[in-house]
Every structure is written in C-alpha cells, then in structure tokens.
Amino acid sequence: MKSYSESYKEAGVDVTAGYRAVELMKKHVARTKTSAGIDEIGGFGGMMALDLTGIEHPVLVSGTDGVGTKLKIAMLLNKHDTIGIDCVAMCVNDVICCGAKPLLFLDYIACGKNYPEKIAEIVSGVAEGCVQAGCELIGGETAEHPGMMPEDDYDLAGYTTGIVDRSKVLDKNTEVPGDVLIALPSSGVHSNGFSLVRKVFDIENADLNTVIPELGGSLGETLLTPTKIYVKPMLALFDEVNVKAVAHITGGGFYENIPRALKDGLSAKIAVSDVKVLPIFNLIREKGGISEHDMFNTFNMGVGMVAVVAPEDADKTIETLKANGVEAYRLGELVESDEGVILY
C-alpha cells in the first residue's frame, strides 16, 4: 500500500509532496557523486567510505551553519537556485580553515509548505555548492512546518565533515611578527550582516530589480550573489606553501574573525586603504550612515578569507591562488600587540 495520509494532509503536511521533492532533487544530488559515496539518497543515513591514502593520522573536522536572513532576498526575488551555494560555502569555508578537505554535506530545509519544485530548486544550489567544494551531498531532510512559518517561507542549514592528516592541521602558534596577511577577495556580502542590510535598504519595500550603475547590476542580484567557495584554491595552496593560519571572514567581520587565526600576543595590522572594498559596501555605508568601525565589524568588506604566511612565501601564495582563479593580494602584517586587529 502506498504511503499517504489524508488526515495528515488536512493538518497541513502532504507526505506525497515530500516524495515528489526527493524525486526531483535526485538529478541534482547525482552531480555531487564521488567514488566514496556508497548509498543512494532516501535511506536513514548517508554513508561514505573513507579513503585514507596518504593520511597517517586522520582528523575529522566538522562544521554546520545556515544562510541567515539572506533567504529573505531569495524569497522576495522568487529565486531559489543559488541560496544553497551559500549554505555549503558557510560550512566548507570554515573547515578549510583547519586545513581539512570537505568530504560530505547534508542539508536541512524547514518550510511552511512543501512545494516540490521549489525544494528541488533550493537543492540544485546545494548540489552546485558541493560540486564547487568537491564534496558529496549524501543526504538531508525537508521538514514541513505548517503553523510555524508562512507557507512560502523556508529556512536552510547544512553540515559538513572534512578530513586532514594531524601533521597538516594549520597551527597558528607558528606565527611570528612580520608574517604577511594575504586577502582572498569575496564575491559580495556573502551570507552575513543581512539583518543590517535589510534595515538599511528597507528591503521589503525596495525596488530590487532596478539597475544601480555603481553595482553593475540590480540591488537584488548583487545581494543574492552566492558566497565564494575557497576550498579548491586553498587545497592547492596547502600543497605549495606552508600556510600558518586561515580566517574565514563571516559574521563579525575583520574584528571578530581575523583574531581567531592569530597567536596570542599578535595582531593584524591593516591599512584601510589597502582593502579592496566592493561597491556594495560603500553603498551600504553611505545609505545607512554606518561608521567605518561598524562596517568592518559586520561585513567582509570585500575580503572573504585571509591566509597568514611567512614573508618569503607571500609572492608564491599570491601566484598559486591566482593560478587557481583567486586574485589574491597582500593585506597587512602581524605585529606584537594584544589588540587583535589594528586598522589605520
């Protein structure tokens, strides 16, 4: 007998919509398939065989995150095929900071009503993010929550696990004064600070489709630009350079994230004029009347990731990243100080 409950449907949950969503998303999930995955989507747990070739002391590194209120932009534009990239990025960009290669990903979608085509569209973005990160989407969950949120609303979160040999875990304790900060540019606002963005632009009432010359596109498409995934360029860099530490510039901007990658007693000294600020941040600052400090304490300001290397490795770091599609540049240096970040 087929699984179906008229009573549950009357309560707001249509189990057949869930089955339809799974069928629609399978083609997207298949794009992420690696030789390590050993099960099809739809079971009780996603499985993956570990290939430990060349790894003497394996260390698993896990991360979980969501997309936050950037989802509101996707909902207002009724465009849901890129937001999943953000979800993957927020997780895999964290574990790469430990030196770990992401292996797998799982997503969780909570929605007011399960519209199978919309769910599949969301998952298509998750799959694209996994392809960019080189990891496999091995499972997930879609939960219909009638009465908990409006029918058209949804939330999206994810989880990843990566692996690294213990001997290759990045060690910030090897840092010394004079080490160089290398900036990896962001693709835009990424997935942090959107509560402030929405307030500044009165986003519910804003015209998101009008082209703004200084942005080179509309406000909506600029804000919805997916978070850049740095996994493959960073893995290539790890093979070429002794990277001492990496900071993923997420919520809290420079002031919260860069110190997490610094040895006690050291601070990052950065000239504001050296930061290649993206136009969207200048617009946010001007429109919202936001102080320089608050901008750098909320947004990535055009820098999505920062790597710390020895001075003699700086040029090779920039060359390697550029060879892998990232226009990296020198951002500053480490100095003896307990301030964390010194912007001047």
Side-chain angles (χ1 to χ4, degrees), residues 60-95:
L60 296 179
V61 182
S62 297
T64 185
D65 208 341
V67 181
T69 64
K70 183 174 184 174
L71 290 171
K72 273 294 184 184
I73 312 298
M75 294 175 196
L76 289 169
L77 292 174
N78 194 27
K79 180 174 170 54
H80 312 283
D81 61 343
T82 62
I83 206 75
I85 300 174
D86 293 283
C87 187
V88 175
M90 298 308 293
C91 297
V92 299
N93 284 345
D94 276 353
V95 302

Side-chain angles (χ1 to χ4, degrees), residues 180-203:
V180 177
L181 301 168
I182 303 296
L184 284 72
S186 69
S187 55
V189 184
H190 284 184
S191 293
N192 301 103
F194 272 86
S195 293
L196 180 53
V197 167
R198 288 165 45 236
K199 178 178 182 292
V200 166
F201 292 110
D202 186 17
I203 214 72

